[in-house]
Amino acid sequence: MHSESFDVIVIGGGHAGAEAAAASARFGARTALVTHKLSTIGEMSCNPAIGGLGKGHLVREVDALDGVMGRAADRGGIQFRMLNRSKGPAVRGPRTQADRQLYREAVQDILREYSNLTLIEDGVEDLIVEDGKVAGVIGQSGRSWRAGAVVVTTGTFLKGLIHIGEKRIPAGRVGEAPAIGLSDRLYGLGLRMGRLKTGTPARLKSSSIDWSGIEMQAADADPIPFSFLNDRITVPQIACGITWTSAEVHAVIGDNLHKSAVYSGAIAGRGPRYCPSIEDKVKRFADRDKHQIFLEPEGLPGSEYGDTVYPNGISTSLPEDVQEAFIRKIAGLERVEIQRFGYAIEYDYVDPRELTPDLGVKRLPGLYLAGQINGTTGYEEAAGQGLVAGLNAARFAAGSDPYILDRSRAYIGVMIDDLVTRGVSEPYRMFTSRAEYRLTLRADNADQRLTEEGVKAGVVGSKRREAFHVKRSSIDTARARLEVLSLTPNEARAHDIRINLDGKRRNGLEIMAYEGVGFSKLREVWPELSDVTPQVAEQMEIEAQYAGYLDRQEADIVAFRRDEDMRLPADLDYRAIGGLSNEAKEKLSSVRPATLGQAARIEGMTPGAITAVLGHLKRVAKKSDKVARG
Amino acid sequence: MPRVSFDTIIALASGSGRAGVAVIRVSGPGSAALLKALLCDLSDVSRETPLPKPRRATIRTLHDAEGGFLDEALILWMPAPESYTGEDVAELHIHGGPAVIEAVIAAALKTRLCRIAEPGEFTRRAFDSGNIDLTQAEAIGDLIDAETEGQRRQAGRLYQGEAARVFEGWRGLLISAMAALEASIDFPDEADIPGEIDLAALEPIEALAVDLEAALGDAGRLATVREGFRIAILGPPNAGKSSLMNHLARREAAIVSPIAGTTRDVVEVRLVLAGYPVWIADTAGLREASDAIEAEGVRRALTRAEEADLRIWVSDAADVSHETLASFREGDLRVLNKADLLNGDSPPLAGDEDVFVVSAHTGAGLDPLERRLAQLVRERLETDEAPLVTRARHRELVEEALAAVERGLEGARIGIGAELVSEDLRLAARALGRITGSIDAEDLLDVIFSQFCVGK
C-alpha cells in the first residue's frame, strides 16, 4: 500500500484530464494525474484537428485562463485556417489540423513544467469514499492515494462497446480496455446515466492515395496562433485534400445498410446529428448525389503519423469488407490501403444534471466530472470542462468557494450551463449559435473577458498575467487616444470619409463605425497612431463595427446577471412551494438549479413558476429573519 | 447589496377584471417625470406641474399626451427610498374599468418614460433594493402570494390560448429563418448551405413584419374597449330615433321635434353599458333628401351605419313597410316605436328576439331593449375570440419584435453580416418568446439538423 497523498487526483489523461491536472496545479494544489498509459496523455483519438466554429472560442478561452490546449495546438498545428474569415469577427473560428505526435508531445511537455504535478501510470480501480466524501483513489496495481478532491475524466471508457458491422468489442478506444471497476463505483452512487454513441472513419495510407486529381486546400498564409502568448506559428504548414462520394458509393452503402451496427438495431445509444455516419447521410438525405470528404493528414510528411490520412466525413460502423468496397469507389481512393477500419462506439455517460455549475457531483462532495463522461463530444469541449473541474477540485480541497463561469462571460459557461440545466440527448458539441451573447463573447477578446477573472480565481500564472496587463493597457491607451482625436464632417471628407454634414465632431471610434473605415484609414488621418499594434488595432475596429449591437447586448447581460445573482439554496424543498405545477416541481427537484436564472432556463419552465419560487424564497427569508430576531 | 435599476416599470397592481378601483403602480427613476407628464394640464402650460405631496393621498386629473381627459385618480407619490421597491414609486388609483386601465397604461407607455413590468418585477426590485422591512412583512407576504397566484393563472391561460399559438407560429418563422443564417455560420464548409445571407430565407420574415404591424394596428377589441362600442340608430325620418337615444342617454342630447328631418347631422352620446363605454349615434332620417344639408346628413348617417359595431333600426310600429336606403344587416336590432299609438294591435315581426316594440314617449318596452343592448355589448367585448395583442405587455413585446425584425431586414438589404441579422431575429424571437415563456437555442439546432445535411 502506498500512502502518498495529494490535494487533487485527476483520473484520465485525455484533453479534459490534462487541462484539469494543469488547472489544479496552477491553483497551487499538489496534484496527481493517474492514467493507465502515460505515453498516450494528450492523444487525439479521433480527428487530428483543434478548434473550429464555436470550438475555436473554447480553445481561446482555455488559453485566456492559462490552459494547455492553445499552446499545444500552436506547437502541433500543421494547417492553420481561420474559418468564416469573410464573416463577422464574432463568428470566426480559429482551427488547425494537428500533427498527432507533435500535439501529444507538446501536451506532455507542458504538463511536465508543473513542479507540483505528478504523473502516475496506473489504471484506477475504485474511489475511496469516507464520511460521504471522496478521499482518494485505488489503482489496479493495488496502490492507493489519498486526495481532498478527485476529477474523473474517463471519456468513452464507461461500458464502452465498439461496433464494426456485427462485431462487438468491449473497449474504451481501439486496443484499450474499458474501465469496469470505476464504472461500478459510479453506478453505485445512484447517478442517472444514459447511453450515447459516436463514430470514427477508417484511417487511410497517404502514399496509397492518388492525390493527382484531388482538390487541395492550403493553410492560411498568415496563420494566427491560438494562444494569446504567441505571436506567430513556426511549424511547417501542409494542405488538406477535398474529395466527394458519388452515386456509386451511395449504392454500395445503400445495399449494405442492414449490416451497419446503427441500422441493424445493435446500437441503443443516440449519436450526434451534426456528425452523422455516412450511412446516416445516405439514408436521410437520399436526394443528395454526393457528400464532401476532407482528406486530413495526421502528421507532417516523414513523421510518425505522416503517412496516415483521416477521411473526415465518412465515419461508419459498416463491416470491414463494405468499408473497403465503398471507400475504393471514392475519387482518388481507388487503390487506397486502409490502416484501420472505422467503427461506432457506444458508452455510458452521467446525466450532467447530476452536477453543479462547478462540475461537482451533487451526491458526492469532492468528486468532479469533465469531458465525454458528461455527455459532450470534442477535445475542446473536454478541455473547457477539464479546466473548470480541475480548478474547482483544487479550490474545494483548499476550502475555497467554487468558481463559476456563467453564460454571459464565456462559451465555457454556456456549455456548462446547458449541460447542468438541460442535460443532453445527443453528444453535446459547441456551436456559436448556442451563445446568446455571441457578439460579446468572441474568440478575439477571450483574454479581455477572462484573464483578469482567471487571475482572481487563482488559475492564471504570472507570465500570462503580465503579458495580459501589457496588452490591456495598450488597448486602454489606444481607446483613450481615439476618444480624444476627432474630425468635423468637412475634415473627414477631406480624407475621403463620407459623413453627414451635420457640423458634429466625431471621435476616432465613432468614425471607425462607418462602413469601410478601418484602423488603417485612421492611421492615414493621424500618422501618430502608427505605433498601435495590429492586435490592438483589430480590437478597436471590432468594437467600432459592433458598437450599437454591443450596447444592446450589454443591457441584456445586465438583466441576465440580476437573475443569476439570485442564488437558490441547494436544499430548497420545491414540493412545499404553492402555485407550482407538479411538472415544475419535478423538474426543479431533479435539476436543483443554483440560481433563479438557471431555474428559468430549465426546459418548459414558465414565468409563473419562477415567480412562485421567488415568492417562496421571500417567505422563507421572512421566517428565518423572525427566528433570528427571536 | 442594493442594485441600480436602469428603467422605470409600470403595471396594473390590482387584479384584472372589472372593479370599482384599479391600482396602477409605477416604479423606477423615471416615476416623477412620468407622473408629471400624466398630470400635465395642457390648457395651462404656463404653470409647472407640481407633484403631489409625498405619501399623501391626492385627487388629480390624468391626461394623455394630447391633453385629453383620462380619469380622475387618487395619487400616492412615494419617493425613494421609502417605497415598496425602494425606488421612486407612484400609485394611481383609478376607476376600475378595463378601458380606463388600458388607456392610462397606454398613455404612460406613450411617454416612453417607462415599460411594462415583467411578471414579479416589482417584487424582484423590492428584493434587489433590500428595502423591504422584514418585520412588517405579514402583509407583504400576502401581497406576494396574491401576485404569484395571479401570475400563475395568467401564464396558464396564455399557454392555452389561440394567441399563444399565433405567437409561437411567428416565433417558428423566425427560427427557421435564423436556422438558414446560423447554418451558413456554423457549417460554412457544407456544400448546400448558401455562404452569403440567403435573402430568400428572409422572405417569410418580410411577411411576418406585415403581420406584426397588422396585429399592432388591429383596431379590434382592444381599441373597442378603449374607445367605446359604437351603436348607430338608423331609420326613416320621424320614426323616433332621437327620442329613443334621449331615453337611453336620459338627457336631451338630440333635439326632438315632430318635424321630419330635424336631425341633420350625427349626434353622439357616451354612456356605460355592462361596464363598457358605449357611443350611441343618432343619425339623420334615411330618405330621399329634400335639400343639400339634409343629403349630407343622410350620407353621414350611412357612413356611421357602416362603421358601427351594432345598428338599431327604428321604425314606426304602425308603418313598418317603410323601405330604407341602407340594407338591414344580420345582427341588427329592430325597434318598432310609437307602440302607444297602436291601439292594442300587435305589429308585424313582434315576438322575434331582436325586434322590440317600444314607446320612447311613455318608456314602455325600453327595459328589455336596454338589457339586450348590454348583453350584446358584453358578448362582443368579452368574447374568447380576442384580438391577438390585447395586453399592453404583449403589445410592447410585439413592438419590440417588430422593431428588431425591421432592423434585421434593413441590415440584410444593405449587406451587414449574417451574425448581425441573426442577432436581430434572435431579439425578435426572444421578445415573442417572452409572451409565451419559451426561448431556446436548441429549437434552432433542431431546424438546422432537420433541413440541412451537415457534419463531417
Side-chain angles (χ1 to χ4, degrees), chain A residues 34-302:
Chain A
V34 185
T35 183
H36 58 282
K37 215 194 250 176
L38 290 184
S39 62
T40 58
I41 290 177
E43 183 70 74
M44 308 178 98
S45 44
C46 193
N47 65 323
I50 297 287
L53 294 162
K55 290 165 168 279
H57 285 72
L58 290 171
V59 181
R60 284 280 172 83
E61 289 178 356
V62 165
D63 186 69
L65 294 167
D66 214 8
V68 176
M69 182 167 265
R71 287 181 282 160
D74 285 351
R75 293 194 217 171
I78 56 176
Q79 198 219 22
F80 275 84
R81 286 181 64 227
M82 183 62 80
L83 305 185
N84 278 346
R85 185 178 274 273
S86 65
K87 294 200 172 76
V91 296
R92 286 177 204 151
R95 180 186 191 272
T96 186
Q97 290 294 129
D99 178 302
R100 288 177 57 198
Q101 183 191 1
L102 287 181
Y103 184 84
R104 189 181 62 208
E105 285 171 2
V107 171
Q108 293 179 12
D109 286 349
I110 292 167
L111 291 185
R112 285 199 197 91
E113 287 168 16
Y114 295 101
S115 57
N116 54 342
L117 172 60
T118 307
L119 305 179
I120 297 170
E121 188 165 86
D122 200 346
V124 170
E125 191 54 42
D126 200 1
L127 302 175
I128 303 170
V129 177
E130 286 172 5
D131 305 330
K133 273 168 61 176
V134 167
V137 308
I138 299 166
Q140 282 166 349
S141 64
R143 292 182 292 173
S144 68
W145 303 270
R146 300 193 64 79
V150 172
V151 184
V152 176
T153 69
T154 48
T156 60
F157 283 62
L158 284 183
K159 293 200 175 164
L161 186 62
I162 283 177
H163 296 259
I164 305 179
E166 287 170 10
K167 264 198 280 184
R168 288 197 268 293
I169 311 155
R173 194 154 58 187
V174 150
E176 294 175 16
I180 302 288
L182 186 58
S183 310
D184 290 344
R185 167 62 73 173
L186 292 175
Y187 292 109
L189 287 175
L191 302 175
R192 277 164 298 175
M193 314 281 283
R195 199 141 175 89
L196 292 173
K197 74 148 201 217
T198 186
T200 192
R203 302 303 195 275
L204 313 177
K205 189 173 164 68
S206 180
S207 51
S208 66
I209 295 175
D210 176 9
W211 292 95
S212 60
I214 288 176
E215 174 194 345
M216 298 304 284
Q217 185 175 55
D220 286 345
D222 55 334
I224 298 169
F226 276 106
S227 178
F228 292 101
L229 291 178
N230 296 332
D231 52 14
R232 67 204 155 93
I233 296 300
T234 55
V235 186
Q237 300 291 293
I238 54 114
C240 289
I242 298 176
T243 184
W244 299 83
T245 60
S246 62
E248 225 187 330
V249 175
H250 296 182
V252 175
I253 294 165
D255 289 346
N256 290 284
L257 267 186
H258 58 284
K259 297 183 190 161
S260 160
V262 179
Y263 284 98
S264 66
I267 293 187
R270 262 193 75 178
R273 291 174 298 174
Y274 45 81
C275 188
S277 63
I278 187 65
E279 47 265 42
D280 263 339
K281 290 190 208 176
V282 167
K283 182 155 196 254
R284 289 188 48 224
F285 296 90
D287 53 322
R288 298 274 303 270
D289 54 4
K290 60 178 189 175
H291 295 280
Q292 202 170 23
I293 303 167
F294 290 82
L295 298 175
E296 303 175 341
E298 295 201 348
L300 288 172

Side-chain angles (χ1 to χ4, degrees), chain B residues 230-403:
Chain B
R230 283 160 308 177
I231 298 175
I233 302 181
L234 304 164
N238 206 26
K241 300 185 292 297
S242 298
S243 302
L244 176 65
M245 182 177 89
N246 288 344
H247 203 96
L248 291 171
R250 294 181 180 83
R251 61 186 164 109
E252 300 282 310
I255 307 157
V256 186
S257 77
I259 307 158
T262 306
T263 304
R264 300 207 164 187
D265 199 350
V266 178
V267 178
E268 280 187 313
V269 292
R270 185 176 187 271
L271 50 107
V272 175
L273 277 176
Y276 293 100
V278 172
W279 290 99
I280 297 191
D282 178 21
T283 65
L286 300 174
R287 66 168 180 184
E288 295 300 329
S290 55
D291 62 50
I293 297 174
E294 194 188 348
E296 175 62 17
V298 170
R299 195 190 65 75
R300 291 188 188 184
L302 290 172
T303 308
R304 188 55 58 111
E306 207 48 53
E307 291 170 353
D309 296 308
L310 179 70
R311 310 191 293 182
I312 302 175
W313 293 92
V314 183
S315 52
D316 194 322
D319 184 18
V320 289
S321 63
H322 198 105
E323 281 301 317
T324 51
L325 297 178
S327 56
F328 189 82
R329 211 161 57 183
E330 174 137 3
D332 289 357
L333 301 188
R334 292 198 76 144
V335 170
L336 306 179
N337 193 18
K338 305 185 186 174
D340 51 314
L341 304 180
L342 276 179
N343 302 323
D345 298 343
S346 179
L349 300 170
D352 197 321
E353 184 192 26
D354 281 339
V355 175
F356 298 86
V357 181
V358 308
S359 166
H361 180 64
T362 65
L366 283 170
D367 282 352
L369 174 63
E370 272 193 59
R371 277 200 300 275
R372 178 66 179 151
L373 284 176
Q375 182 195 357
L376 286 171
V377 168
R378 194 181 299 115
E379 275 176 12
R380 303 256 184 109
L381 295 189
E382 287 187 347
T383 168
D384 287 337
E385 275 177 56
L388 232 33
V389 185
T390 49
R391 293 178 174 80
R393 184 178 80 88
H394 296 182
R395 164 168 287 270
E396 212 187 32
L397 288 167
V398 172
E399 279 171 356
E400 193 181 316
L402 178 61

Side-chain angles (χ1 to χ4, degrees), chain A residues 292 438 546 556 579 619, chain B residues 127 145 152 182 189 419 430:
Chain A
Q292 202 170 23
R438 177 166 72 186
Y546 278 171
D556 236 18
R619 280 192 299 278
Chain B
F127 268 93
D145 273 349
R152 190 183 65 77
E182 292 298 335
D189 283 338
E419 82 279 19
R430 196 196 53 166

Side-chain angles (χ1 to χ4, degrees), chain A residues 198-415:
Chain A
T198 186
T200 192
R203 302 303 195 275
L204 313 177
K205 189 173 164 68
S206 180
S207 51
S208 66
I209 295 175
D210 176 9
W211 292 95
S212 60
I214 288 176
E215 174 194 345
M216 298 304 284
Q217 185 175 55
D220 286 345
D222 55 334
I224 298 169
F226 276 106
S227 178
F228 292 101
L229 291 178
N230 296 332
D231 52 14
R232 67 204 155 93
I233 296 300
T234 55
V235 186
Q237 300 291 293
I238 54 114
C240 289
I242 298 176
T243 184
W244 299 83
T245 60
S246 62
E248 225 187 330
V249 175
H250 296 182
V252 175
I253 294 165
D255 289 346
N256 290 284
L257 267 186
H258 58 284
K259 297 183 190 161
S260 160
V262 179
Y263 284 98
S264 66
I267 293 187
R270 262 193 75 178
R273 291 174 298 174
Y274 45 81
C275 188
S277 63
I278 187 65
E279 47 265 42
D280 263 339
K281 290 190 208 176
V282 167
K283 182 155 196 254
R284 289 188 48 224
F285 296 90
D287 53 322
R288 298 274 303 270
D289 54 4
K290 60 178 189 175
H291 295 280
Q292 202 170 23
I293 303 167
F294 290 82
L295 298 175
E296 303 175 341
E298 295 201 348
L300 288 172
S303 68
E304 185 184 344
Y305 300 102
D307 200 25
T308 300
V309 161
Y310 180 95
N312 199 340
I314 51 168
S315 94
T316 183
S317 64
L318 286 163
E320 282 104 333
D321 58 327
V322 181
Q323 291 192 31
E324 189 155 334
F326 87 75
I327 288 172
R328 287 192 169 174
K329 295 249 184 279
I330 295 169
L333 307 183
E334 293 83 356
R335 277 174 296 278
V336 80
E337 279 177 45
I338 291 175
Q339 295 179 328
R340 201 176 88 193
F341 285 97
Y343 60 86
I345 180 165
E346 271 190 293
Y347 54 95
D348 281 3
Y349 72 99
V350 174
D351 182 339
R353 286 172 291 192
E354 295 281 359
L355 309 176
T356 45
D358 63 351
L359 295 179
V361 174
K362 290 170 191 168
R363 296 175 199 216
L364 188 57
L367 182 64
Y368 294 78
L369 306 182
Q372 271 173 302
I373 191 171
N374 291 340
T376 64
T377 172
Y379 309 143
E380 304 80 1
E381 287 82 353
Q385 292 169 67
L387 191 149
V388 169
L391 169 61
N392 280 308
R395 293 179 68 91
F396 178 83
S400 306
D401 287 341
Y403 173 72
I404 289 160
L405 274 172
D406 72 37
R407 303 182 71 89
S408 69
R409 290 181 165 87
Y411 273 59
I412 297 176
V414 171
M415 168 176 65

Side-chain angles (χ1 to χ4, degrees), chain A residues 495-530:
Chain A
H495 292 281
D496 276 340
I497 302 169
R498 312 285 301 171
I499 286 177
N500 289 344
L501 294 169
D502 55 8
K504 261 178 61 186
R505 292 194 81 84
R506 287 174 176 80
N507 69 30
L509 289 171
E510 289 162 343
I511 291 167
M512 250 197 315
Y514 282 81
E515 189 69 28
V517 183
F519 199 85
S520 57
K521 189 79 199 172
L522 298 195
R523 276 206 194 96
E524 269 175 44
V525 179
W526 296 292
E528 66 267 35
L529 291 174
S530 61

Side-chain angles (χ1 to χ4, degrees), chain B residues 83 86 206 314:
Chain B
S83 69
E206 303 269 3
V314 183

Side-chain angles (χ1 to χ4, degrees), chain B residues 1-83:
Chain B
M1 190 183 73
R3 260 183 301 277
V4 186
S5 296
F6 293 104
D7 46 6
T8 300
I9 54 176
I10 186 169
L12 180 65
S14 51
S16 58
R18 228 157 294 114
V21 176
V23 180
I24 290 174
R25 190 195 267 159
V26 178
S27 177
S31 297
L34 176 63
L35 199 49
K36 280 187 181 178
L38 291 174
L39 296 177
C40 178
D41 185 353
L42 286 176
S43 64
D44 187 9
V45 288
S46 58
R47 282 194 312 151
E48 162 93 7
T49 309
L51 284 172
K53 285 200 175 119
R55 273 165 283 284
R56 175 155 324 166
T58 311
I59 301 270
R60 299 282 283 273
T61 303
L62 301 178
H63 300 277
D64 62 21
E66 287 78 41
F69 172 84
L70 284 172
D71 197 12
E72 195 101 294
L74 181 75
I75 316 272
L76 283 172
W77 168 238
M78 293 164 279
E82 290 167 70
S83 69

